[in-house]
Amino acid sequence: MVSQQFLHVGRWRCYANLNWDLQRQSSLRVWYTLRPASTTTAVLNDVLNNKRYIKFKLFEMDMSEDEMEEDEAEWKNSFVDSVPLSSPATASVSGPSHSKTSGPTPAHRVILHFDLDCFYAQVEMMRNPALREVPLGIQQKYIIVTCNYVARELGVTKLMSVASAKEKCPQLVLVKGEDLTHYREMSYKVTELLMSYCPLVERLGFDENFMDVTKMVDARLAETQVSNNLSFKGHVYNHFSADVEASDHPSLALGSHIAAELREAIHSKLGLTGCAGIATNKLLAKLVSGSYKPNQQTTLLPENVSDIMGCLSSLRKVPGVGHQTAKRLQALGLVSVKDLQLFPLNDLVREFGGPTAQRLRNLALGVDDTPVTTTGAPQSLSDEDSFKKISSTKDVLEKIQELLSSLVERMQKDGRQPQTFRLTIRRYSATNKWFSRESRQSPIPNHIGHKITSGSTGDAVIQLATLAMKLFHKMVDSSAAFHLTLINVCFSNLQTRGAATSGKGSITSFFTHSTSPKKTQIFSTQSQDGSSQSGDIHLMDHQSSAHSVITQHATQKTAAAKSPCSSEAALHGFKIEQSPDVAGEDPPLQEVSCPLTRSDFDETNKSGTRRLPPNVDPEVFRLLPEEIQKELLSPAYSSSLPSSSVSSGKVVDVPNITENKSSYSLTDSPNFKDIKEPVNKLDPSNRPTIANNHSPAYVSVFPGENVIGEGRLSSHQSSDCEFPGSVDPKVFSELPPDVQRELMTEWKQQKPVLKTTSFRKPGKGSKTKDRKAAGKSSQANNLFKYFKPA
DNA sequence: CAGGGCACCT
DNA sequence: AGGTGCC
């Protein structure tokens, strides 16, 4: 989220801390520290979206370290100065988006949080409807991990021991839930269903999903002209049905409608009920979603943020504050959310370090800028079992083989090839240290890895088992007594095999295999869009996309059985689609998914990219405000800010030339001017509904025509937003396709760098992050393997 | 805390 | 490799 970088221009050195919200691409906060001649420092706080002013703060360089820290902390605080502190008075002053210059980011995101009701129990009740009538508990070992609502009314709770559950409720029916296969499959069905409406879906565990529906909402807003007397679906936190305030919060109101429709879709297509929360960020959406349970939804309005935060009984209730953090906070004397809100940030920084401190404080304030990131396929697959005692190597081997055979089978269905194997154990020890685990990992030799994907699973299990035993002996001296209570086997570093290595008919078989290619492409382009922050508004006809995707799964599965190359086929399908010259027929919709401030941003690029002084990283330079760029470029710049002209501690407010009070309005955004298709309605009545235990794959088949259109639009979107401002799209379109692609991947790789990690040292780079991001998007191609037809 | 997963950070 | 966090 925050990246730091510097550039040298003559005798100036400019440090820039960037906090860029990639999700909205509308919030760019830049903090520059200019250090001319080591005598003065200029701190520049630039908020490009709503604040629309630039503040210079100049002070002497020779201030003490403490003073520096204090100033830094103060400056950081300015980021959250619009946050409603617990008193309603301050909230009402700074909360609304009225032209108060002091109030940044009304954060017009609309985030949904879905939370399925007693998920494991619901799955079991679908598998055996007779269980609906009885109190049902899902048992893992000696724990009831969840139970249905019949059981809850009889006093059974989550994570209760089997003994006390039976005591409370003797007629409790127990179903073993250690095998997660069915839950995992149903879980991915839910995620996939949500993704078919909007690819920006992030999983949290098996039963929760976040979804960023901002663009969907904005599209509806533009379409309906806000006119209709819209109301909220479901509950509104701390409001009664009497008051109608929907017109004050049209985005959230529309979000509540979308949430209701998606919950209905989940119910009609998958037979599952659940809760939803609607709010402006993930933290709040999650907190509010559980307000009314089960099977209800709640919207949180910005003016009630302090209410819901204040209502939390302890810091531990804040998502992101776990046991350890709560303890450390308690050691500082902090127990309530309000305590943390009011605690001096400097002290917090001392305890937790800068980033964590700021994060914790923001959490307490209900502030959460983290974007919804498409989860895609898992990055690791693991299988584990716990037990009372294993103390012989023979038993260890048997257990490992048992775990491996199910893990290898799952891995094979996935299609990717694991590069790393890890064995984890938990030893019994009297000293409270039950929880700590130890692990050893090693690379998987290629020939073994290949046996997994190619289907020689028996061989693979045997060889992996010997590998695992080697790792085991690195941890445990088997000549002495040992006592294990858990074994875990894990595949990670999952790689999609490239077509080049598998020469045999990856692409050709892909294209000759009748209908599946296009459908595969659809899904892959969608997921790619999701991870590249492009919009969802191109999903005009979700029905066709959802169902074609589902149908695709069945076909792809059979294809996978025939050829081991289905996944790279999907990947290549995407790459080909991605190539801009394929897009040909329709006029490009360049502006459609480009947020307003993006163009502001790019204009600074234009002015800056030529005739830079040597030694200047153009990437960094581009990010500077135009004024600064001009200044640095002007021949007189090096003498224009001599130390003599800097007065100590002086604060100067400079109105931004782009300031425009009306420019904030949603409808002003160029995003939606050129939308030519009607915006997607989620009207459930338009869709076929099915009985509970049926897979949608068998219900209906939609024609594939608009599939092509969507794919093309997707490819446009995935490219357009990446254009640096200095690039003329016309010129770009005339370049050879491969050059275009190369440029695009280059730009694409540069963008996440800003978001995640520093590139102070250009050589050091952010390879791991990039690799991970790339892996994520390609893994998304495989996501459909995580659910299969009944 | 349990239980069987996952992800992220260091 | 371990720790922390989430469900």
Side-chain angles (χ1 to χ4, degrees):
Chain A
M1 181 168 62
V2 177
S3 70
Q4 190 180 62
Q5 45 194 291
F6 63 80
L7 66 100
H8 291 277
V9 184
R11 63 199 184 91
W12 291 76
R13 182 180 243 203
C14 174
Y15 292 87
N17 281 332
L18 296 140
N19 185 342
W20 187 14
D21 187 342
L22 284 174
Q23 178 62 35
R24 301 199 305 272
Q25 292 190 347
S26 61
S27 167
L28 176 60
R29 298 150 168 173
V30 189
W31 172 30
Y32 301 106
T33 309
L34 293 167
R35 295 192 176 169
S38 76
T39 57
T40 57
T41 296
V43 173
L44 183 154
N45 179 4
D46 173 20
V47 178
L48 285 180
N49 55 343
N50 300 309
K51 261 189 175 172
R52 300 196 175 280
Y53 69 86
I54 299 177
K55 184 157 92 184
F56 287 90
K57 184 168 182 181
L58 307 173
F59 52 87
E60 296 295 337
M61 187 61 180
D62 52 35
M63 60 198 302
S64 70
E65 282 293 304
D66 284 356
E67 284 169 332
M68 286 286 264
E69 266 187 40
E70 265 180 34
D71 194 84
E72 183 169 336
E74 177 192 292
W75 184 85
K76 280 181 179 168
N77 269 334
S78 71
F79 279 167
V80 292
D81 59 4
S82 73
V83 167
L85 293 170
S86 36
S87 98
T90 56
S92 62
V93 169
S94 59
S97 59
H98 310 317
S99 51
K100 269 283 191 187
T101 47
S102 66
T105 89
H108 97 292
R109 282 194 298 171
V110 180
I111 307 297
L112 310 183
H113 176 256
F114 293 94
D115 189 344
L116 296 162
D117 304 324
C118 55
F119 178 51
Y120 291 1
Q122 273 203 82
V123 172
E124 295 301 339
M125 292 190 301
M126 286 180 55
R127 301 214 302 151
N128 179 0
L131 295 174
R132 290 186 183 278
E133 330 290 330
V134 303
L136 170 67
I138 307 302
Q139 176 183 10
Q140 284 174 340
K141 294 299 178 316
Y142 58 93
I143 292 291
I144 309 287
V145 289
T146 193
C147 58
N148 67 2
Y149 277 81
V150 180
R152 288 188 197 195
E153 282 177 22
L154 297 172
V156 184
T157 67
K158 284 183 176 183
L159 299 180
M160 201 163 70
S161 78
V162 171
S164 49
K166 276 290 198 180
E167 196 177 317
K168 271 237 183 246
C169 176
Q171 69 272 41
L172 183 66
V173 176
L174 295 177
V175 169
K176 293 270 192 192
E178 284 125 3
D179 183 349
L180 304 185
T181 305
H182 299 113
Y183 314 138
R184 185 182 292 114
E185 287 171 2
M186 189 57 75
S187 170
Y188 276 97
K189 283 188 189 180
V190 173
T191 300
E192 291 298 342
L193 179 59
L194 294 175
M195 283 183 72
S196 71
Y197 292 87
C198 160
L200 229 47
V201 178
E202 178 176 341
R203 293 164 55 81
L204 186 58
F206 279 6
D207 68 335
E208 295 183 23
N209 288 279
F210 291 103
M211 194 164 173
D212 186 331
V213 293
T214 305
K215 293 193 171 174
M216 221 181 278
V217 163
D218 287 348
R220 287 197 186 189
L221 268 181
E223 179 191 50
T224 63
Q225 294 299 345
V226 198
S227 58
N228 317 19
N229 48 351
L230 41 82
S231 59
F232 286 98
K233 289 279 188 192
H235 305 272
V236 178
Y237 188 88
N238 262 8
H239 285 78
F240 308 101
S241 52
D243 36 312
V244 267
E245 61 293 277
S247 52
D248 293 339
H249 300 286
S251 294
L252 289 171
L254 284 174
S256 75
H257 283 248
I258 293 177
E261 291 161 18
L262 290 172
R263 286 202 304 129
E264 177 51 33
I266 291 171
H267 183 64
S268 64
K269 291 173 185 291
L270 301 175
L272 294 167
T273 65
C275 293
I278 302 94
T280 53
N281 66 42
K282 290 199 287 182
L283 170 69
L284 298 172
K286 179 171 171 51
L287 283 176
V288 80
S289 67
S291 301
Y292 296 91
K293 305 167 83 165
N295 195 20
Q296 294 166 78
Q297 68 179 61
T298 314
T299 305
L300 179 68
L301 304 182
E303 56 257 39
N304 298 111
V305 169
S306 55
D307 298 338
I308 196 171
M309 296 312 297
C311 275
L312 297 178
S313 55
S314 84
L315 279 170
R316 192 56 247 285
K317 304 288 181 187
V318 180
V321 178
H323 278 101
Q324 304 302 318
T325 334
K327 275 179 184 171
R328 290 170 69 182
L329 288 169
Q330 197 172 6
L332 297 175
L334 310 178
V335 289
S336 76
V337 171
K338 199 160 293 181
D339 291 341
L340 181 52
Q341 286 176 0
L342 302 176
F343 195 67
L345 186 59
N346 285 344
D347 299 352
L348 209 59
V349 171
R350 261 188 280 283
E351 257 296 312
F352 293 92
T356 309
Q358 187 65 56
R359 206 192 91 243
L360 288 172
R361 151 166 292 211
N362 281 345
L363 289 180
L365 293 166
V367 172
D368 175 17
D369 281 338
T370 62
V372 175
T373 47
T374 304
T375 304
Q379 299 176 23
S380 67
L381 299 193
S382 66
D383 216 319
E384 76 184 36
D385 200 357
S386 65
F387 29 76
K388 288 275 188 265
K389 178 176 190 176
I390 281 188
S391 51
S392 74
T393 55
K394 173 173 160 293
D395 289 348
V396 170
L397 176 59
E398 280 175 15
K399 181 57 74 178
I400 282 177
Q401 282 175 334
E402 174 189 329
L403 292 170
L404 272 176
S405 52
S406 85
L407 184 63
V408 165
E409 188 185 339
R410 273 210 282 149
M411 196 68 251
Q412 190 215 341
K413 285 179 184 166
D414 178 285
R416 289 170 294 173
Q417 183 174 324
Q419 305 293 121
T420 306
F421 175 77
R422 176 169 53 216
L423 177 73
T424 304
I425 63 168
R426 185 181 64 190
R427 324 167 99 112
Y428 176 82
S429 80
T431 71
N432 242 351
K433 278 276 183 177
W434 260 66
F435 331 101
S436 77
R437 300 171 167 206
E438 313 162 48
S439 67
R440 295 291 185 273
Q441 67 182 29
S442 84
I444 300 175
N446 218 307
H447 57 96
I448 301 185
H450 189 265
K451 288 191 174 176
I452 301 171
T453 57
S454 65
S456 313
T457 55
D459 277 0
V461 168
I462 291 172
Q463 306 205 254
L464 286 165
T466 68
L467 183 60
M469 291 310 287
K470 284 180 190 167
L471 295 175
F472 172 73
H473 286 116
K474 285 189 182 180
M475 286 184 284
V476 176
D477 176 11
S478 51
S479 67
F482 61 90
H483 183 336
L484 306 185
T485 63
L486 177 141
I487 295 181
N488 174 297
V489 290
C490 176
F491 288 140
S492 61
N493 200 357
L494 277 23
Q495 293 207 342
T496 309
R497 295 158 305 162
T501 67
S502 68
K504 194 173 169 203
S506 56
I507 289 198
T508 42
S509 72
F510 176 63
F511 281 117
T512 51
H513 263 33
S514 68
T515 61
S516 71
K518 279 176 190 169
K519 291 169 178 176
T520 306
Q521 286 169 15
I522 286 308
F523 181 66
S524 48
T525 51
Q526 277 184 10
S527 355
Q528 198 72 21
D529 276 354
S531 48
S532 66
Q533 314 295 342
S534 301
D536 47 86
I537 52 178
H538 60 290
L539 294 178
M540 300 305 176
D541 185 352
H542 63 276
Q543 300 181 25
S544 61
S545 71
H547 284 271
S548 60
V549 154
I550 287 160
T551 340
Q552 169 261 319
H553 171 76
T555 52
Q556 180 176 328
K557 220 187 138 196
T558 58
K562 285 180 196 167
S563 146
C565 305
S566 64
S567 56
E568 68 262 16
L571 189 59
H572 276 265
F574 166 68
K575 281 184 178 170
I576 288 162
E577 277 292 295
Q578 188 190 34
S579 173
D581 63 327
V582 177
E585 302 158 17
D586 285 358
L589 301 175
Q590 304 244 354
E591 292 84 8
V592 163
S593 61
C594 289
L596 175 60
T597 50
R598 180 70 193 179
S599 53
D600 296 345
F601 184 69
D602 287 345
E603 282 185 33
T604 66
N605 296 344
K606 279 182 197 163
S607 67
T609 32
R610 53 194 151 225
R611 72 183 239 297
L612 283 182
N615 239 2
V616 173
D617 182 348
E619 256 313 295
V620 177
F621 187 85
R622 254 180 349 100
L623 299 169
L624 295 168
E626 199 169 358
E627 291 85 345
I628 302 298
Q629 292 185 359
K630 279 181 188 163
E631 196 177 314
L632 293 175
L633 285 175
S634 88
Y637 97 90
S638 56
S639 54
S640 67
L641 272 178
S643 53
S644 61
S645 71
V646 174
S647 50
S648 170
K650 189 175 179 182
V651 175
V652 187
D653 277 353
V654 182
N656 190 321
I657 44 171
T658 64
E659 176 160 14
N660 177 359
K661 280 158 192 162
S662 70
S663 71
Y664 178 66
S665 103
L666 293 171
T667 51
D668 250 15
S669 165
N671 295 13
F672 311 108
K673 283 180 182 163
D674 294 333
I675 295 177
K676 39 183 198 172
E677 292 182 60
V679 177
N680 135 22
K681 287 285 188 209
L682 305 187
D683 183 0
S685 63
N686 287 343
R687 286 190 300 274
T689 59
I690 60 168
N692 278 354
N693 285 328
H694 290 172
S695 161
Y698 299 123
V699 176
S700 60
V701 179
F702 287 81
E705 287 88 69
N706 21 11
V707 154
I708 299 171
E710 286 178 12
R712 189 173 54 234
L713 187 48
S714 298
S715 75
H716 270 285
Q717 292 206 340
S718 67
S719 59
D720 294 342
C721 269
E722 310 301 328
F723 277 31
S726 54
V727 174
D728 183 345
K730 217 175 234 172
V731 175
F732 181 86
S733 69
E734 288 163 10
L735 294 171
D738 51 336
V739 176
Q740 289 182 359
R741 199 162 31 218
E742 195 172 323
L743 287 173
M744 291 204 7
T745 55
E746 198 175 309
W747 296 329
K748 270 195 166 187
Q749 281 167 359
Q750 284 165 0
K751 211 169 77 166
V753 169
L754 279 178
K755 172 189 174 186
T756 53
T757 178
S758 71
F759 47 99
R760 268 162 285 178
K761 304 284 181 188
K764 185 183 171 185
S766 53
K767 277 212 166 158
T768 58
K769 288 281 180 182
D770 287 347
R771 184 176 51 70
K772 203 182 79 180
K776 248 193 172 182
S777 34
S778 67
Q779 281 161 16
N781 298 326
N782 296 30
L783 195 50
F784 266 116
K785 292 175 182 158
Y786 286 86
F787 77 94
K788 46 184 180 187

